Amino acid sequence: MHRRWLFIAAAGALIVASLIVGLLVDHQADTGNTEAKPAGGTQADVPPATVSPTASVSATETSAKPSAKSTPRKESPRATATSAKPSAADTPRTGSAAAPLAGRIRPGATYRGVATFYDADGSGACMYDASGDVMTAAMNSTDYETAKACGAYVLVRAANGASVTVRITNECPGDCAPGQIDLSAEAFAKLAQPSAGKIPITWTLSSPSAAGTVSIRYKTGSSRYWCGIQVIGHRNPVARLEVRAGSGWRQLTRAEYNYFISDDGSGCGGAIRVTDIFGEQLTLNGVALTANAVQSTGAQFAKR
């Protein structure tokens, strides 16, 4: 009986020991799994994520745009008629900026040449009538530029400091070189003695304060089938003339004798739109289709 109890006790002790050993093994296994590095191919092997190009652009754009709270917005100044007109102290702008429709003769540009003179009466290649205005001149063919110079005012200066403003009414072909102006005898006399014959000059485009109003004349022979239209008395050089044609405007070609021609009569007798080299437009209504009659319009371009 005593042996039986000893055997049972020994067996129990063995079972308990086995359980203890099993628990120790399990604990060591658990500790090992916690400290072990993950196998290759798991997320831990992937390097830190980088921002994609798309995301970086977006981030840059976002950071580049200040919030309304951090940077106050400034309204851009609105253009006004007053600010658009340069003061006398302003530096002259280039022809393309100040006068987008200018040809060879540009505002703010200084031209060099010589002055000669002839007996002028205001008539000539520009087909203006002779008049009592003796402060006129003929422009060399290059700067005449197929009548684009007609009616332009230019300020001519001599080396001695004398100056005179003349209106271009004629073309000086042949011997007149680029830059040369053939003045009326009266205009030349304001710069030098007539005995000088020819003097060096500089000249610039002018937009005179004193100017009347623009007039329109239809050429002799004009009708509703063909017409030529001339602009007279404009303060600034004329760059373009259009006539109302249907619901739009049709630009006419300028002849070398300073008339804008409608070969098929389109727009003859209708509304006329005249544009100067600065882009200012005058829309003229009620001009009768009457040949060789100077008709005042009461309009004028702004002084520049």
Side-chain angles (χ1 to χ4, degrees), residues 84 93-103 105 107 205 207 235-242 273-283 300-304:
R93 294 173 291 174
T94 62
S96 60
L101 301 179
I105 302 177
L205 183 67
S207 180
R235 174 183 272 128
N236 305 318
V238 170
R240 187 165 60 212
L241 185 144
E242 300 163 284
R273 187 165 71 181
V274 185
T275 306
D276 71 4
I277 62 172
F278 299 95
E280 182 180 356
Q281 294 180 331
L282 302 177
T283 300
Q300 183 57 273
F301 293 113
K303 174 177 168 52
R304 302 287 177 166

Side-chain angles (χ1 to χ4, degrees), residues 142-191:
T142 300
D143 295 318
Y144 182 77
E145 200 176 4
T146 315
K148 285 184 180 179
C150 284
Y153 289 87
V154 295
L155 175 61
V156 184
R157 293 184 176 88
N160 61 8
S163 64
V164 62
T165 297
V166 295
R167 182 170 60 98
I168 303 304
T169 62
N170 201 359
E171 178 183 11
C172 180
D175 294 338
C176 280
Q180 181 173 349
I181 298 180
D182 203 17
L183 301 170
S184 67
E186 294 83 354
F188 187 92
K190 290 185 176 293
L191 302 178

Side-chain angles (χ1 to χ4, degrees), residues 101-117:
L101 301 179
R104 287 184 56 86
I105 302 177
R106 307 184 307 276
T110 298
Y111 301 83
R112 298 183 182 277
V114 296
T116 50
F117 66 92

